[in-house]
Short mmCIF file of all heavy atoms in Angstrom, two decimals:
data_model
loop_
_atom_site.label_atom_id
_atom_site.label_comp_id
_atom_site.label_asym_id
_atom_site.label_seq_id
_atom_site.Cartn_x
_atom_site.Cartn_y
_atom_site.Cartn_z
N LEU A 270 -21.20 -21.41 -4.27
CA LEU A 270 -19.81 -21.67 -4.32
C LEU A 270 -19.27 -22.22 -3.01
O LEU A 270 -18.51 -23.19 -2.94
CB LEU A 270 -19.04 -20.41 -4.59
CG LEU A 270 -19.14 -19.85 -6.13
CD1 LEU A 270 -18.59 -18.45 -6.21
CD2 LEU A 270 -18.42 -20.78 -7.06
N ILE A 271 -19.81 -21.71 -1.86
CA ILE A 271 -19.28 -22.19 -0.57
C ILE A 271 -19.85 -23.59 -0.29
O ILE A 271 -19.17 -24.49 0.21
CB ILE A 271 -19.75 -21.21 0.55
CG1 ILE A 271 -19.00 -19.84 0.39
CG2 ILE A 271 -19.52 -21.79 1.93
CD1 ILE A 271 -19.42 -18.83 1.38
N ARG A 272 -21.13 -23.79 -0.68
CA ARG A 272 -21.63 -25.22 -0.51
C ARG A 272 -20.87 -26.20 -1.35
O ARG A 272 -20.87 -27.38 -0.97
CB ARG A 272 -23.12 -25.21 -0.87
CG ARG A 272 -24.09 -24.50 0.12
CD ARG A 272 -25.43 -24.35 -0.41
NE ARG A 272 -26.31 -23.61 0.59
CZ ARG A 272 -27.55 -23.24 0.27
NH1 ARG A 272 -28.07 -23.51 -0.93
NH2 ARG A 272 -28.25 -22.59 1.17
N SER A 273 -20.32 -25.81 -2.46
CA SER A 273 -19.57 -26.76 -3.26
C SER A 273 -18.24 -27.08 -2.69
O SER A 273 -17.54 -27.89 -3.26
CB SER A 273 -19.47 -26.18 -4.67
OG SER A 273 -18.57 -25.04 -4.68
N GLY A 274 -17.91 -26.46 -1.58
CA GLY A 274 -16.58 -26.71 -0.91
C GLY A 274 -15.42 -25.85 -1.41
O GLY A 274 -14.34 -26.13 -1.02
N ARG A 275 -15.70 -24.89 -2.22
CA ARG A 275 -14.60 -24.06 -2.71
C ARG A 275 -14.17 -23.03 -1.64
O ARG A 275 -14.98 -22.53 -0.95
CB ARG A 275 -14.98 -23.43 -4.05
CG ARG A 275 -15.24 -24.37 -5.09
CD ARG A 275 -15.67 -23.64 -6.44
NE ARG A 275 -14.58 -22.82 -6.89
CZ ARG A 275 -14.71 -22.10 -8.03
NH1 ARG A 275 -15.79 -22.17 -8.82
NH2 ARG A 275 -13.73 -21.29 -8.43
N ASN A 276 -12.88 -22.70 -1.67
CA ASN A 276 -12.31 -21.64 -0.75
C ASN A 276 -12.04 -20.38 -1.40
O ASN A 276 -11.71 -19.37 -0.79
CB ASN A 276 -11.06 -22.20 -0.12
CG ASN A 276 -11.29 -23.31 0.84
OD1 ASN A 276 -12.32 -23.40 1.53
ND2 ASN A 276 -10.29 -24.22 1.02
N VAL A 277 -12.20 -20.33 -2.75
CA VAL A 277 -11.99 -19.08 -3.49
C VAL A 277 -12.83 -19.15 -4.76
O VAL A 277 -13.03 -20.22 -5.34
CB VAL A 277 -10.49 -18.89 -3.83
CG1 VAL A 277 -9.94 -19.96 -4.71
CG2 VAL A 277 -10.27 -17.46 -4.47
N GLY A 278 -13.33 -18.08 -5.18
CA GLY A 278 -14.10 -18.07 -6.42
C GLY A 278 -14.55 -16.63 -6.77
O GLY A 278 -14.56 -15.70 -6.05
N THR A 279 -14.80 -16.44 -8.09
CA THR A 279 -15.18 -15.18 -8.68
C THR A 279 -16.55 -15.33 -9.29
O THR A 279 -16.83 -16.29 -10.01
CB THR A 279 -14.15 -14.68 -9.69
OG1 THR A 279 -12.88 -14.59 -9.01
CG2 THR A 279 -14.55 -13.31 -10.20
N TYR A 280 -17.44 -14.30 -9.08
CA TYR A 280 -18.79 -14.37 -9.62
C TYR A 280 -19.37 -12.95 -9.75
O TYR A 280 -18.76 -11.96 -9.25
CB TYR A 280 -19.69 -15.19 -8.69
CG TYR A 280 -19.85 -14.65 -7.32
CD1 TYR A 280 -20.92 -13.77 -6.95
CD2 TYR A 280 -18.90 -14.86 -6.31
CE1 TYR A 280 -20.99 -13.22 -5.74
CE2 TYR A 280 -19.02 -14.35 -5.05
CZ TYR A 280 -20.09 -13.52 -4.73
OH TYR A 280 -20.23 -12.98 -3.54
N ARG A 281 -20.46 -12.82 -10.50
CA ARG A 281 -21.14 -11.57 -10.60
C ARG A 281 -22.54 -11.72 -9.95
O ARG A 281 -23.18 -12.76 -10.15
CB ARG A 281 -21.33 -11.16 -12.02
CG ARG A 281 -20.00 -10.86 -12.75
CD ARG A 281 -20.22 -10.33 -14.17
NE ARG A 281 -20.92 -9.04 -14.14
CZ ARG A 281 -21.35 -8.46 -15.23
NH1 ARG A 281 -21.23 -9.00 -16.40
NH2 ARG A 281 -21.96 -7.28 -15.17
N ALA A 282 -22.92 -10.65 -9.24
CA ALA A 282 -24.18 -10.77 -8.53
C ALA A 282 -24.72 -9.38 -8.21
O ALA A 282 -23.91 -8.36 -8.27
CB ALA A 282 -24.00 -11.52 -7.25
#
Side-chain angles (χ1 to χ4, degrees):
L270 287 170
I271 292 178
R272 287 173 183 171
S273 67
R275 295 180 62 179
N276 289 330
V277 63
T279 301
Y280 62 93
R281 292 186 66 186

